[in-house]
Amino acid sequence: MTIKQALTLRNIMIILCIFMLVLLGQKALGIENKIQTVREAERLYAAGELIAAENQYRLAAANTAILYKEEQINARLKELAPITAIRSSLRGLVLTLEDQLTVKDFTGYMESYASLLSLKSKYMVTGGPYEVYYRQLSADSGISEKMTAGFRQFKEQFLAGLTESQKNAANNTTGTGSAESVKWSLLQIPEAYYGGAGAKEELLAAKFEAHDTARLKALAAAGSFQPMLDSALSMEQAYQSHSYTADWIADQVQESTTLILNKDLDGDHTAAFAGHAVAYRKYAESAGLKSSKVLKLIDSSTTRLLREAARQVRGGQYAEAIRLYGDLNPLQDTSGAVAAATLAWNTAEPVQLLPGGDVQGSYTLTASVTGRYGAKVAVAGVDASGRLVYADMSDDGTLSTRTGGTVPDAAALIELTFDESLSVYSEVPVVTAIGSREDGRRTFTAYTIRPEGILQLFSFAGSGYELMAEDGSIRVADTDLADGQDGQTAIFRQMNGVYEFSEIYRENTYTMIDASQLELHPYEKVTLSCNIYIDSAGRTVASSNGRYLILQGETGGVTGLAVVSGQFENGYDQVETDTGEQYVPVFIVDSIGSLSIQMP
């Protein structure tokens, strides 16, 4: 039989009748259920079991099989509306908490907790009409257990995150941004879920301190001093914004800073010390620290280093002192001390006054005087190009420089000196450049230092010269006059501000002097008695009245007691004597007369 054959009109009618009978049965059952539900609700209401009654009234209201005591049901539900609200709110919160736990929505969870507190404050009022109903409905909903389990889950999650952040911080691999939010989340969890206020404070303080100190120590160990201070200040400000006190941050910063500053000081890294100290002072100011052990260490160390710089100036260690003052300048204005040290250095080492004088090798020869020519210090130098340069510094520190021309035969120069006698006679500083020649003579080129510039005064060659004060002439011994004659003494006289050859001086005598008077007769023909010996280096050395001289020139290999004639040309050299190594004059010998007894 096919479906078409089965679907006859009679069969269709039978099916419809069956369907109608089923519907009528369901309707009758619904009517019966509603009537029974209303009766049960009334019974429960009469018995004072309002929570159960409210539930039955709601079921009855939801049954639309028949309109039966609708006004009474609505009246009861209106009367029991608070119970309905409590039940509905608790059920909704339970569902919301489950969703929030699933997606780990802590912010939403705290909002649900706040909603629960609000609901509780409204209905669970001691002695209030709904206290007992709230307690029962709350217990039935299981919301307290759900809330406790949720906070436990979040607490464990946050503590684990803080521990992981601490490990990363100890390795200096990550920042602390996420850890900071974890802290504040842990603070938000009510103390009841920690086991009380004391337990919460103890646990969080230990965890926070371990995390923060690990981070700060890692930054300090990595040499990230400023980031450490910035991180500490950021932590402190964050704690303050959450009304939480974290004393360990300042303590750890103080410990790490003390170690770093002491390391700077022990290693003589004063620039690093000053930089770290300035950074800490700024941190202390921002953090509101008026006093700390670190600030005291900075102040005491700065004072000690300033005293050390002053001691270096007194000891002639000018470069070291100026460097130290410069290193400390970020901590304290040392510009005045630097200026004073520079002035002292220029006074002690006048070459510093010359342009580029602080560069090694800038000047091949220099000469200086102090307290002369109206200057605190005056210095002359021949630079690498052979030019004569002059500088002087007044008592008030004013510096004046002048540059002259190239000195003749500058490559052969051996000495530069201020000629005092010529300076007095000329009433301006006179600088003489002395050079050597292959024939044993010296070249002498003198310059007057005038306000308008450096002018040449004379230039000649010989074994020495002497200013004759009575007429201002100059006698030049063993002058080279290009006439093939040796041993002649020439007289030069000044004409139009420059000395020129005048005549030959005929008298040529030696003056007998004591060795102690040698420096009083530079470039003069003198004679002195001495005892001559050859030292271990093969040099000829003379001893006279306890003074030693190095003899050069026509020594002839003579030793023992002798009379030596020659001249002192302002030269000195080192020699080994019976009393040790000494810095002694060099005497240029013209002739030696032996006084030793010669055995036949």
Side-chain angles (χ1 to χ4, degrees):
M1 179 184 294
T2 65
I3 294 176
K4 185 175 181 182
Q5 291 173 334
L7 292 177
T8 62
L9 180 59
R10 183 173 63 87
N11 290 339
I12 291 174
M13 292 301 295
I14 291 171
I15 292 171
L16 289 175
C17 287
I18 293 171
F19 183 69
M20 290 300 294
L21 288 174
V22 172
L23 291 177
L24 288 173
Q26 290 179 342
K27 181 73 171 179
L29 182 61
I31 292 170
E32 178 63 24
N33 285 342
K34 183 166 185 177
I35 293 171
Q36 291 298 326
T37 300
V38 172
R39 288 175 181 173
E40 179 63 15
E42 287 296 319
R43 186 187 69 79
L44 293 171
Y45 181 82
E49 299 180 22
L50 300 185
I51 294 177
E54 182 271 343
N55 187 51
Q56 292 300 312
Y57 282 124
R58 282 190 299 104
L59 292 175
N63 190 334
T64 58
I66 187 175
L67 296 176
Y68 177 71
K69 295 186 179 183
E70 298 300 323
E71 292 183 3
Q72 183 179 344
I73 293 172
N74 291 334
R76 296 298 190 209
L77 287 175
K78 184 175 182 180
E79 178 185 349
L80 300 175
I83 293 176
T84 304
I86 293 171
R87 187 195 303 274
S88 176
S89 297
L90 289 174
R91 182 184 295 113
L93 282 174
V94 168
L95 294 174
T96 301
L97 290 175
E98 291 175 351
D99 292 340
Q100 290 166 342
L101 283 173
T102 300
V103 298
K104 298 182 179 180
D105 178 10
F106 181 72
T107 301
Y109 202 81
M110 288 303 301
E111 292 174 354
S112 296
Y113 176 72
S115 297
L116 179 61
L117 291 181
S118 176
L119 185 66
K120 189 174 181 179
S121 66
K122 183 177 181 181
Y123 293 107
M124 193 176 172
V125 179
T126 303
Y130 303 106
E131 178 185 6
V132 64
Y133 307 122
Y134 179 87
R135 288 184 182 277
Q136 183 177 338
L137 290 169
S138 176
D140 293 342
S141 70
I143 194 167
S144 295
E145 293 78 6
K146 180 68 68 176
M147 187 67 72
T148 299
F151 274 127
R152 182 184 299 114
Q153 176 180 322
F154 279 118
K155 181 176 69 174
E156 292 174 355
Q157 171 191 330
F158 295 148
L159 289 175
L162 196 63
T163 299
E164 183 63 24
S165 177
Q166 178 180 331
K167 292 179 181 178
N168 292 333
N171 295 324
N172 197 31
T173 58
T174 62
T176 60
S178 60
E180 295 303 303
S181 63
V182 166
K183 292 178 186 176
W184 319 140
S185 296
L186 286 168
L187 284 174
Q188 289 181 69
I189 296 176
E191 59 191 33
Y193 298 99
Y194 285 94
K200 177 180 180 180
E201 174 61 26
E202 183 178 356
L203 174 64
L204 295 189
K207 293 293 184 180
F208 291 173
E209 180 175 359
H211 174 273
D212 296 344
T213 54
R215 176 62 180 169
L216 296 176
K217 285 181 178 179
L219 289 171
S224 302
F225 186 73
Q226 187 61 55
M228 179 195 73
L229 297 179
D230 293 341
S231 182
L233 188 60
S234 177
M235 289 179 187
E236 290 177 325
Q237 292 173 343
Y239 278 122
Q240 289 171 7
S241 68
H242 289 84
S243 302
Y244 192 89
T245 302
D247 294 332
W248 56 80
I249 296 177
D251 292 342
Q252 183 58 50
V253 169
Q254 180 167 267
E255 178 183 332
S256 296
T257 303
T258 299
L259 290 173
I260 291 171
L261 292 180
N262 283 328
K263 184 177 180 181
D264 292 339
L265 293 170
D266 293 342
D268 197 27
H269 305 309
T270 47
F273 165 78
H276 290 148
V278 168
Y280 181 83
R281 279 182 173 176
K282 291 180 179 178
Y283 157 78
E285 182 179 357
S286 299
L289 292 176
K290 301 298 182 183
S291 176
S292 73
K293 291 182 180 179
V294 174
L295 290 174
K296 292 179 181 178
L297 172 63
I298 291 172
D299 291 342
S300 62
S301 298
T302 301
T303 300
R304 178 179 62 79
L305 290 170
L306 289 172
R307 287 200 299 265
E308 172 64 15
R311 185 194 65 76
Q312 289 174 341
V313 172
R314 294 193 298 272
Q317 298 173 281
Y318 304 106
E320 293 85 347
I322 291 172
R323 178 193 62 79
L324 185 51
Y325 279 132
D327 289 345
L328 295 174
N329 193 61
L331 273 174
Q332 181 173 318
D333 183 11
T334 57
S335 56
V338 170
T342 302
L343 177 61
W345 193 4
N346 289 334
T347 302
E349 300 180 22
V351 69
Q352 298 289 325
L353 298 174
L354 295 172
D358 56 341
V359 179
Q360 186 72 23
S362 295
Y363 291 86
T364 57
L365 291 173
T366 61
S368 63
V369 292
T370 57
R372 307 303 302 271
Y373 321 129
K376 187 177 184 67
V377 59
V379 59
V382 177
D383 66 15
S385 66
R387 293 181 307 170
L388 179 65
V389 184
Y390 172 88
D392 61 27
M393 183 178 64
S394 63
D395 290 336
D396 63 2
T398 301
L399 180 65
S400 174
T401 60
R402 271 150 281 186
T403 301
T406 301
V407 179
D409 297 323
L413 294 180
I414 58 174
E415 185 181 355
L416 191 68
T417 182
F418 280 88
D419 190 312
E420 183 60 26
S421 58
L422 278 171
S423 297
V424 171
Y425 182 80
S426 302
E427 298 182 342
V428 293
V430 175
V431 177
T432 302
I434 304 173
S436 63
R437 296 195 349 169
E438 292 182 357
D439 62 5
R441 291 186 176 95
R442 298 284 187 264
T443 60
F444 302 94
T445 306
Y447 297 87
T448 57
I449 312 300
R450 301 183 180 277
E452 60 271 20
I454 299 177
L455 304 176
Q456 183 172 308
L457 183 62
F458 61 68
S459 182
F460 45 67
S463 59
Y465 69 89
E466 177 185 7
L467 173 68
M468 309 307 295
E470 61 272 14
D471 62 0
S473 64
I474 294 177
R475 292 181 185 179
V476 182
D478 194 16
T479 310
D480 180 8
L481 297 176
D483 58 359
Q485 301 276 340
D486 291 337
Q488 300 182 95
T489 297
I491 298 178
F492 284 72
R493 301 186 188 278
Q494 191 169 168
M495 299 181 64
N496 299 320
V498 178
Y499 279 93
E500 296 181 357
F501 172 72
S502 175
E503 69 232 39
I504 297 295
Y505 179 68
R506 298 304 176 186
E507 184 179 355
N508 189 8
T509 60
Y510 289 86
T511 303
M512 177 65 86
I513 65 170
D514 187 85
S516 63
Q517 301 173 322
L518 191 61
E519 283 83 351
L520 300 178
H521 301 275
Y523 299 105
E524 295 180 18
K525 297 288 186 177
V526 296
T527 300
L528 50 86
S529 299
C530 60
N531 187 17
I532 302 174
Y533 66 92
I534 307 300
D535 71 359
S536 59
R539 290 172 296 190
T540 303
V541 181
S543 172
S544 177
N545 291 334
R547 191 173 193 192
Y548 292 88
L549 310 173
I550 294 177
L551 302 183
Q552 293 182 0
E554 302 295 327
T555 58
V558 175
T559 60
L561 297 176
V563 175
V564 180
S565 297
Q567 58 188 320
F568 170 58
E569 299 180 357
N570 287 329
Y572 291 83
D573 202 355
Q574 297 282 350
V575 68
E576 187 69 29
T577 70
D578 295 337
T579 60
E581 191 173 38
Q582 292 188 27
Y583 195 59
V584 303
V586 176
F587 189 79
I588 307 302
V589 178
D590 293 333
S591 63
I592 296 180
S594 176
L595 299 179
S596 298
I597 299 176
Q598 301 290 328
M599 297 298 294

